């Protein structure tokens, strides 16, 4: 996803059911048209997966797997 004049937002999350939709809405509402949204979920056990599914049209990449914390998740997003 390395493209000039683009920006990428990486959202690491785990059991983020209460806040994830707000974060997604914030990125989607930005008027800049050249943006990517990557969400790295640490295999949540709450309703996070349903929120990701409902928003997949606005998410460039979803990584959902166990990780070693927020920094590991961000690094996975950067690698992608």
């Amino acid at each position: 996803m390395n493209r000039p004049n683009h920006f990428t937002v990486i959202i690491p999350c785990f059991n983020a059911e209460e806040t994830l939709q707000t974060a997604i809405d914030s990125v989607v509402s930005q008027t800049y048209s050249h943006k990517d949204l990557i969400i790295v979920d640490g295999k949540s056990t709450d309703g996070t997966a349903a929120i990701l599914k409902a928003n997949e049209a606005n998410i460039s990449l979803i990584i959902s797997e166990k990780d070693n914390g927020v920094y590991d998740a961000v690094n996975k997003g950067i690698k992608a």
Side-chain angles (χ1 to χ4, degrees):
M1 284 187 222
N2 186 10
R3 294 174 273 182
N5 301 316
H6 275 71
F7 75 89
T8 301
V9 174
I10 300 169
I11 300 175
C13 65
F14 178 71
N15 289 343
E17 177 179 36
E18 293 183 22
T19 57
L20 184 57
Q21 188 62 58
T22 301
I24 293 169
D25 291 345
S26 177
V27 175
V28 171
S29 72
Q30 301 302 309
T31 58
Y32 191 74
S33 60
H34 304 292
K35 61 184 178 260
D36 291 306
L37 174 57
I38 297 173
I39 299 182
V40 184
D41 172 47
K43 268 309 201 201
S44 294
T45 57
D46 64 354
T48 297
I51 293 169
L52 294 173
K53 179 75 173 160
N55 288 279
E56 63 187 357
N58 292 315
I59 302 171
S60 304
L61 177 64
I62 298 170
I63 301 170
S64 184
E65 60 191 23
K66 289 282 188 186
D67 56 51
N68 293 315
V70 67
Y71 297 107
D72 185 37
V74 170
N75 285 331
K76 287 180 181 187
I78 291 169
K79 282 184 180 181

